[in-house]
Amino acid sequence: MKIKLAIIIIFLSAISSYTQDIGSLSYIHELGKKETATFGDAVSMFVLTLNKKAENFNTNISILKSLNVIPETDYSESTPLRRGMLASIIAKYLDLKDSLFYRIFKSERYAFRACIADNIMDANMSEWDKISGDELIEIMSIVAEKKGEEK
């Protein structure tokens, strides 16, 4: 498990193209230890995936909204991260179209189903399940890989 985490950290640090400071690496290391990630963690990971420097929560949200990556939400930074919450950001970021219901309703439930269809999340889970820091890092590495395939 620690080897897998180390590989993911190396992969994510390579994404940053040396523009990130050492604080990003320590943040990812600390995130990997969390039993339950927060919405703020997901927002920070998306900003890092976009090769931008993670700032405070409000700045990160502004960055994602300006790039039309994050749907309108009223979640706070400390809200425990659930699979549906993360899936709604991923589906918008990757422009997933594998779910007709997601394209119509744009709900977390159908965003989660679209992520399952695209092999980003496990089908044996629920959109209500909480995500650990380690799982968030793993999912974001899959997202970064899929975004790289689009280019």
Side-chain angles (χ1 to χ4, degrees):
M1 181 64 118
K2 291 189 183 246
I3 293 172
K4 183 179 178 183
L5 180 60
I7 291 170
I8 292 170
I9 289 172
I10 291 168
F11 174 75
L12 287 175
S13 65
I15 291 173
S16 65
S17 303
Y18 302 106
T19 60
Q20 299 298 319
D21 60 351
I22 195 70
S24 298
L25 292 176
S26 63
Y27 170 75
I28 292 171
H29 178 70
E30 291 302 313
L31 177 60
K33 296 178 184 178
K34 282 188 165 184
E35 189 173 313
T36 303
T38 64
F39 182 69
D41 293 327
V43 169
S44 294
M45 285 299 294
F46 263 97
V47 170
L48 290 174
T49 302
L50 294 168
N51 290 326
K52 299 196 181 292
K53 184 175 181 181
E55 304 280 338
N56 64 49
F57 179 71
N58 291 329
T59 304
N60 292 342
I61 288 285
S62 297
I63 290 168
L64 296 179
K65 284 184 178 180
S66 71
L67 298 171
N68 199 26
V69 172
I70 193 166
E72 285 299 319
T73 181
D74 59 350
Y75 295 124
S76 73
E77 180 177 12
S78 61
T79 303
L81 184 63
R82 298 187 183 276
R83 292 186 184 281
M85 294 163 62
L86 182 60
S88 67
I89 302 170
I90 292 170
K92 191 165 179 84
Y93 177 62
L94 294 178
D95 194 27
L96 298 181
K97 298 184 188 313
D98 290 340
S99 170
L100 175 63
F101 286 117
Y102 172 70
R103 287 192 289 174
I104 295 170
F105 298 112
K106 305 288 186 205
S107 73
E108 291 179 359
R109 175 181 180 86
Y110 296 118
F112 176 68
R113 298 289 180 209
C115 286
I116 290 171
D118 211 34
N119 295 316
I120 298 169
M121 294 188 181
D122 187 3
N124 295 326
M125 303 288 186
S126 162
E127 71 268 15
W128 294 103
D129 290 342
K130 292 180 182 174
I131 297 178
S132 70
D134 191 32
E135 290 173 307
L136 175 59
I137 293 168
E138 186 175 343
I139 290 169
M140 289 307 298
S141 68
I142 293 168
V143 170
E145 184 178 313
K146 287 192 176 287
K147 191 64 172 180
E149 290 172 2
E150 289 180 5
K151 293 181 180 180

